[in-house]
Amino acid sequence: MTSVTPELTPPAQSLAIESRSLTKRFGRQTAVNGIDLTVPRGSVFGFLGPNGSGKTTTIRMLLALSQATSGTITVLGQSMPAGLHEVLPRVGALVEGPAFYPFLSGAANLRRLDTADRHAPGQTRRARVHLALERVGLTHAADKKVQAYSLGMKQRLGIANALLLPRELLILDEPTNGLDPQGTREVRSLVRSLAAEGTTVFVSSHLLAEVEQMCTHAAVMSAGSIVAQGTLAALRAVGEARIRVRTPDTAGALRVLTHLGLEPTRAPLDDPDPNVVVAPLVGDSWLPEAIVTALVAGGVRIRGFAIEDPSLEERFVALTGEGFDVVQ
Amino acid sequence: MSSSDVRRGARPSVMPKRSSSGWSLLGSEISVLFRRRRTCAMLAAVALIPILLAVAVRLSSEALAPGEGPPFLDRVTQNGLFVGFTAMVVAIPLFLPLTIGVVAGDTIAGEAGLGTLRYLLVAPAGRVRLLLVKYAGAALFCLVATLTLTVSGAIIGAVLFPVGPVTLLSGDTISVSESLARSLLVASYVTVSLLGLSMIGLFISTLTDVPVGAMAATIVVSVVAQILDVIPQLSWLHPWLFSHYWLGFADLLRQPLDLGSFGQNAILQLCYLAIFGALAYSRFVTKDILS
């Protein structure tokens, strides 16, 4: 009997980025080790991984800045780097931080980079630069020299450069680096509005919360390999929800919850609040309200009760074996 | 906000036609190069060479014996039109190669150092197109630098010294207007002389992400070539050195006009262009851009 393996990957034309066994070695060191990226069109794809896990090296290969040691890359249906002249005009990119001519103004920098693209019409250049600056909120600094820009402003200018033309795919490497919380929110809403227009957005980040808030899909890199990939919901489903009870009677709560057949524990030591008991919510065995009723009946004073969705953080830390910067 | 006409899922999207603005990168390169303060400062320094020279000669009371000092210097007091020629002789061995080293060494390495190289290539500028544009910019700088020196020399010479028909090296006399034409011919000779070094600089610039390193290396190459050129034991090598004909423009100051050295020089520079152009090309098109 032969078993038919279900077709797991969507057909190629519906993919914005696809890599097969993509590998990059620098001397004896393997920076990217045979990764198979599958980025569906129209998705907001989070490319997660600790610093140094090979994210930027992968992005450089996707954009034909550096050559793969082995493996194949397809971007927007065309093989890279062979099709770079057809592909790259349809791709906007922010690679490893913004980079500009410090002695030119923000607007002059964008015009300069725009001339490099032969497909960018010169007649609309000024208007497009103005529009891109407006979109990232830099109109007031358009004529300031970039050397006077803050890191956050340079980051915005870098994103504006990626938006000079309507793009089918945006590749943004750590787009919120150096931005304040307000700027981070703006980038998130910008990404959402671009995605709503149909642009595929590929965002690399070491910030888990960022990916959780704006992405539909994600891949997790660790030490040059992809350790998990799929929709965010699917990645999340592997984890389990849990309840969190805030109470001065932690001993009583532990007793009652154990009696219900759950496996409660005190909050981890690094939790700021010591009066917390958590327990995984296995399957649908108990309704939350029934747990609360049981706790109250057991004389436990409840000051707070919450159900926490499975956290990607724990899953990803388990996958990568390294901590993420989850704090923004 | 962006317009709502972005077609959702419209794919494969209509490839925008290649607009006729393929030249706009060259325009942008030239404007960035020449609006840079560093470039302006170098051109100002180039313009100062004939001025310093003319002022020094004007202020000194002693008349120079023929043959003392740089070539033509003794003639300056008799005819201001010689200021430009003398300044050119003074500037060719060191100062002009220095400025070329800075400009040509900065071409690719400077972009890599700033990080803008990756954005130019992702735009996509095209690696060959970028190399050509960068070289065109450096070559234009050679022309502008020599013209700056020539014009500055002509002006200061006319201001400080009498101007009249010029007696050439061959003893013939030519009119002021013809001597100005010869000045331009000398400027174009020197420009051509520097094209080989510019290409060497471009090649060195593709090897590194540190612009200062590429600039220094280019200048060192020019100095080494000139040192080799004065070692008699290496006379077999001399005709192949890119700096060999640098001072050969004296032939342009004879009557009848002798364009022989101009032609030899141009052929030699073309060889350097071909060799180092090919090296720069093969290095740059396969280079991993990691800056």
Side-chain angles (χ1 to χ4, degrees):
Chain A
M1 289 285 280
T2 50
S3 67
V4 179
T5 29
E7 182 61 52
L8 290 174
T9 49
Q13 63 270 24
S14 67
L15 293 178
I17 301 172
E18 187 184 24
S19 80
R20 288 278 163 264
S21 314
L22 184 60
T23 300
K24 179 72 184 179
R25 283 191 206 94
F26 294 107
R28 247 176 276 156
Q29 191 207 346
T30 304
V32 175
N33 191 5
I35 66 169
D36 295 337
L37 258 182
T38 308
V39 180
R41 290 221 194 210
S43 64
V44 178
F45 192 99
F47 195 38
L48 267 168
N51 292 321
S53 56
K55 301 189 299 289
T56 300
T57 306
T58 305
I59 288 175
R60 284 181 186 282
M61 289 190 283
L62 295 180
L63 293 170
L65 286 173
S66 85
Q67 288 183 319
T69 309
S70 64
T72 61
I73 303 169
T74 310
V75 178
L76 298 175
Q78 296 208 43
S79 166
M80 289 289 269
L84 77 96
H85 291 285
E86 286 74 46
V87 171
L88 289 182
R90 295 145 66 196
V91 179
L94 177 70
V95 196
E96 204 175 17
F100 293 101
Y101 306 90
F103 46 88
L104 294 181
S105 72
N109 262 291
L110 293 190
R111 287 198 294 272
R112 155 82 168 164
L113 291 174
D114 193 58
T115 60
D117 180 0
R118 258 187 277 196
H119 304 283
Q123 311 90 289
T124 58
R125 182 162 295 134
R126 278 177 185 276
R128 286 183 293 110
V129 164
H130 182 78
L131 211 68
L133 286 170
E134 198 174 76
R135 218 167 168 183
V136 297
L138 271 183
T139 312
H140 65 285
D143 298 322
K144 231 192 221 178
K145 284 192 176 173
V146 166
Q147 60 198 4
Y149 275 31
S150 68
L151 176 58
M153 289 163 81
K154 285 182 192 162
Q155 194 75 21
R156 287 159 188 259
L157 191 60
I159 295 171
N161 175 48
L163 301 176
L164 283 173
L165 286 169
R167 314 284 192 183
E168 286 172 62
L169 169 65
L170 280 178
I171 296 183
L172 304 175
D173 191 8
E174 305 271 2
T176 57
N177 236 5
L179 291 181
D180 52 20
Q182 172 64 21
T184 307
R185 266 195 297 279
E186 285 171 23
V187 167
R188 271 205 298 271
S189 81
L190 184 64
V191 165
R192 280 198 204 100
S193 73
L194 289 163
E197 290 162 14
T199 308
T200 308
V201 188
F202 182 88
V203 196
S204 90
S205 181
H206 65 284
L207 298 173
L208 194 68
E210 191 172 287
V211 168
E212 259 190 298
Q213 287 179 59
M214 62 185 176
C215 295
T216 58
H217 294 66
V220 185
M221 284 282 275
S222 176
S225 301
I226 289 182
V227 289
Q229 181 169 219
T231 64
L232 218 56
L235 290 172
R236 224 184 237 136
V238 179
E240 49 196 8
R242 60 182 188 178
I243 58 165
R244 180 183 171 90
V245 184
R246 201 153 72 84
T247 170
D249 308 321
T250 48
L254 286 170
R255 182 175 43 76
V256 172
L257 291 173
T258 311
H259 191 68
L260 291 176
L262 299 171
E263 290 171 5
T265 49
R266 279 177 204 277
L269 283 175
D270 56 345
D271 199 300
D273 186 351
N275 300 325
V276 165
V277 171
V278 294
L281 198 56
V282 191
D284 301 326
S285 48
W286 287 97
L287 291 172
E289 55 268 32
I291 297 173
V292 176
T293 312
L295 284 169
V296 172
V300 176
R301 290 168 289 170
I302 299 178
R303 289 181 179 164
F305 183 88
I307 300 168
E308 293 180 337
D309 277 333
S311 149
L312 278 180
E313 181 195 340
E314 286 163 11
R315 165 122 173 92
F316 289 169
V317 169
L319 282 169
T320 61
E322 288 178 62
F324 275 91
D325 274 338
V326 283
V327 189
Q328 291 199 36
Chain B
M1 278 309 293
S2 73
S3 54
S4 55
D5 66 354
V6 181
R7 301 125 315 203
R8 189 169 192 147
R11 60 186 136 80
S13 87
V14 191
M15 191 64 190
K17 257 192 295 177
R18 207 170 257 205
S19 63
S20 56
S21 56
W23 289 97
S24 59
L25 180 60
L26 181 61
S28 160
E29 173 66 24
I30 290 168
S31 105
V32 168
L33 176 62
F34 285 98
R35 277 193 305 183
R36 224 176 151 165
R37 213 175 296 168
R38 183 174 73 194
T39 313
C40 298
M42 287 194 302
L43 290 176
V46 166
L48 264 178
I49 295 173
I51 296 175
L52 285 176
L53 198 130
V55 169
V57 171
R58 187 82 177 84
L59 292 183
S60 79
S61 47
E62 298 169 46
L64 278 174
E68 198 180 341
F72 312 124
L73 191 61
D74 54 310
R75 295 169 184 241
V76 166
T77 46
Q78 301 143 33
N79 195 331
L81 289 170
F82 275 102
V83 172
F85 298 135
T86 315
M88 199 65 96
V89 174
V90 172
I92 274 191
L94 186 63
F95 199 78
L96 282 177
L98 207 113
T99 60
I100 304 305
V102 169
V103 170
D106 194 51
T107 45
I108 301 294
E111 300 279 357
L114 288 175
T116 42
L117 182 58
R118 61 177 183 267
Y119 287 107
L120 288 173
L121 293 182
V122 162
R127 296 193 182 204
V128 177
R129 177 163 164 253
L130 187 61
L131 270 184
L132 290 174
V133 162
K134 283 290 178 183
Y135 185 72
L140 183 67
F141 178 83
C142 295
L143 179 65
V144 171
T146 52
L147 282 180
T148 303
L149 193 142
T150 303
V151 170
S152 157
I155 292 171
I156 193 73
V159 169
L160 295 183
F161 302 103
V163 169
V166 174
T167 310
L168 291 174
L169 299 178
S170 55
D172 300 274
T173 302
I174 56 171
S175 67
V176 173
S177 60
E178 197 186 341
S179 87
L180 287 177
R182 295 277 174 118
S183 300
L184 292 180
L185 201 57
V186 167
S188 61
Y189 179 94
V190 175
T191 303
V192 169
S193 299
L194 295 169
L195 291 181
L197 179 64
S198 302
M199 190 57 97
I200 294 172
L202 182 75
F203 166 61
I204 293 174
S205 195
T206 62
L207 300 177
T208 173
D209 295 343
V210 186
V212 176
M215 295 174 193
T218 309
I219 295 161
V220 165
V221 165
S222 113
V223 171
V224 167
Q226 292 179 75
I227 291 172
L228 294 178
D229 206 13
V230 294
I231 300 176
Q233 284 79 1
L234 296 175
S235 56
W236 54 271
L237 181 66
H238 293 170
W240 304 101
L241 293 169
F242 60 86
S243 59
H244 187 64
Y245 297 100
W246 276 6
L247 289 168
F249 62 80
D251 285 355
L252 301 177
L253 302 179
R254 293 182 209 283
Q255 194 78 309
L257 184 60
D258 179 7
L259 285 174
S261 59
F262 199 119
Q264 273 176 308
N265 183 25
I267 289 170
L268 179 71
Q269 300 300 328
L270 268 179
C271 294
Y272 275 89
L273 243 60
I275 293 166
F276 285 90
L279 285 173
Y281 167 83
S282 62
R283 164 69 186 159
F284 192 57
V285 290
T286 56
K287 189 185 185 185
D288 272 2
I289 309 299
L290 300 175
S291 58

